[in-house]
Amino acid sequence: CMNFTRAYLHHLFKANEPIYIEVYNLTGQLVLNTNIYEDELVDVSTLPSGVYLVQIINSTLAQSISKQLIKTN
């Protein structure tokens, strides 16, 4: 489950290992990538308004989730 806010992307993915986050625009360009830990925030405030694909990867558990993000300013 993911919660989207205006400026931050907050994940509720339970893991003791870092989670790798990739954000792609609709042309497939990687516009943001970072490692985060459980209940950390990802700042998406610098992204322009638009639709993005968010890939959440936990390599330890061999899990990957894709979600759509609609960013408005």
Side-chain angles (χ1 to χ4, degrees):
C1 173
M2 295 180 65
N3 294 324
F4 298 107
T5 66
R6 188 173 190 169
Y8 291 94
L9 169 65
H10 181 241
H11 79 94
L12 299 174
F13 201 105
K14 300 295 183 191
N16 294 325
E17 300 294 324
I19 303 296
Y20 187 65
I21 304 288
E22 296 177 334
V23 180
Y24 294 90
N25 63 20
L26 289 182
T27 63
Q29 179 183 13
L30 180 65
V31 294
L32 179 80
N33 63 328
T34 188
N35 285 314
I36 61 174
Y37 285 86
E38 182 177 320
D39 295 329
E40 281 189 284
L41 298 175
V42 176
D43 185 1
V44 295
S45 63
T46 59
L47 296 177
S49 294
V51 179
Y52 298 90
L53 174 66
V54 180
Q55 186 80 20
I56 306 161
I57 304 160
N58 181 326
S59 58
T60 304
L61 300 177
Q63 293 179 328
S64 176
I65 299 171
S66 296
K67 295 287 183 178
Q68 186 179 48
L69 167 65
I70 300 173
K71 168 81 169 38
T72 59
N73 288 332

